[in-house]
């Protein structure tokens, strides 16, 4: 039978549309929440982060929303382009006593349809 | 800028063999870490270091050793490789007490244990 966890959730979006990628996190004590992009065969690349005392942060074409009540994080990509096709990971950065501990989610694959 | 450099990029081992994955960074980052990435499971923290001479365990440390003799280098040692250690390994670094969530990743080392 099929093993759990081998297949990433996939989001297919038409080029030019907006994309919304969601993530549920577990640690209420995390200091930062981060989104990373990973292209095939490469290491993860930082996109944007948000401090735990914020609700929204905007970057270039990207917006991250944080809902601490339901422990939910989302990444919005405006006017999605073919170059946005990748796996996107949310991550939590907990800094107990200054030490960093970054924990990653399982990822969402974004497919951009030309 | 070289950033984070990992070697080798690919390696095949037999069960029981030992090897070292090398990681070097030229950004004078205090914090360095090793992650493994398995299909559908995101990245899991193996070991991390907040400075020369200081290392600590992450989420999945069994079967791996690390040391940090210099700021630049953080090698990961597999003492007796097992098929369960087949994975893609990523080294990441950042400044200590980072006021953000950003980690800088290498390109990865793909390890197969037969």
């Amino acid at each position: 039978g099929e093993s759990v966890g081998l297949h990433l959730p996939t989001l297919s979006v038409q080029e030019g549309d907006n994309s919304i990628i969601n993530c549920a996190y577990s640690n209420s004590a995390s200091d930062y929440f981060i989104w990373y992009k990973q292209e095939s065969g490469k290491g993860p690349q930082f996109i944007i982060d948000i401090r735990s005392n914020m609700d929204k942060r905007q970057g270039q074409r990207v917006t991250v929303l944080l809902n601490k009540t339901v422990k939910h994080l989302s990444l919005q990509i405006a006017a999605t382009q073919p170059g946005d096709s990748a796996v996107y990971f949310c991550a939590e950065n907990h800094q107990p006593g200054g030490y960093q501990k970054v924990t990653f989610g399982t990822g969402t694959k974004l497919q951009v349809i030309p | 800028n070289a950033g984070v450099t990992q070697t080798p990029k690919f390696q095949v081992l037999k069960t029981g063999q030992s090897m070292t994955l090398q990681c070097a960074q030229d950004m004078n980052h205090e914090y360095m870490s090793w992650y493994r990435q398995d299909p559908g499971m995101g990245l899991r923290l193996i070991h991390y270091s907040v400075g020369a001479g200081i290392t600590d365990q992450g989420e999945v440390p069994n079967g791996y050793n690390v040391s940090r003799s210099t700021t630049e280098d953080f090698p990961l040692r597999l003492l007796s490789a097992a098929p369960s250690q087949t994975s893609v390994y990523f080294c990441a670094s950042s400044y200590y007490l980072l006021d953000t969530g950003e980690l800088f990743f290498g390109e990865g080392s793909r390890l197969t244990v037969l």
Side-chain angles (χ1 to χ4, degrees), chain B residues 4-11 19-24 34 74-76 89 91 106-110:
Chain B
V4 179
T5 303
Q6 291 182 233
T7 56
K9 286 184 167 41
F10 300 94
Q11 182 72 49
M19 78 156 299
T20 300
L21 299 178
Q22 302 290 346
C23 176
W34 278 102
F74 190 44
L76 179 71
Y89 292 85
C91 180
E107 293 286 278
S109 297
R110 183 176 293 274

Side-chain angles (χ1 to χ4, degrees), chain A residues 99-100, chain B residues 29-34 45 47-57 66-71 73-74 92-94 96:
Chain A
Y99 288 79
Q100 288 209 74
Chain B
H29 286 165
E30 301 94 343
Y31 179 88
M32 297 185 74
S33 55
W34 278 102
L45 181 64
H47 285 285
Y48 66 96
S49 168
V50 297
I54 306 170
T55 64
D56 205 348
Q57 296 181 349
V66 292
S67 60
R68 185 96 179 269
S69 56
T70 66
T71 300
D73 300 298
F74 190 44
S93 72
S94 72
Y96 181 43

Side-chain angles (χ1 to χ4, degrees), chain A residues 7 12 23 35 86 90 92 111:
Chain A
H7 299 285
S12 296
C23 175
W35 283 98
C90 64
E92 307 171 47
Q111 290 181 334

Side-chain angles (χ1 to χ4, degrees), chain B residues 32-46:
Chain B
M32 297 185 74
S33 55
W34 278 102
Y35 287 85
R36 60 177 287 173
Q37 185 174 33
D38 302 299
M41 295 186 71
L43 291 95
R44 292 183 291 170
L45 181 64
I46 305 172

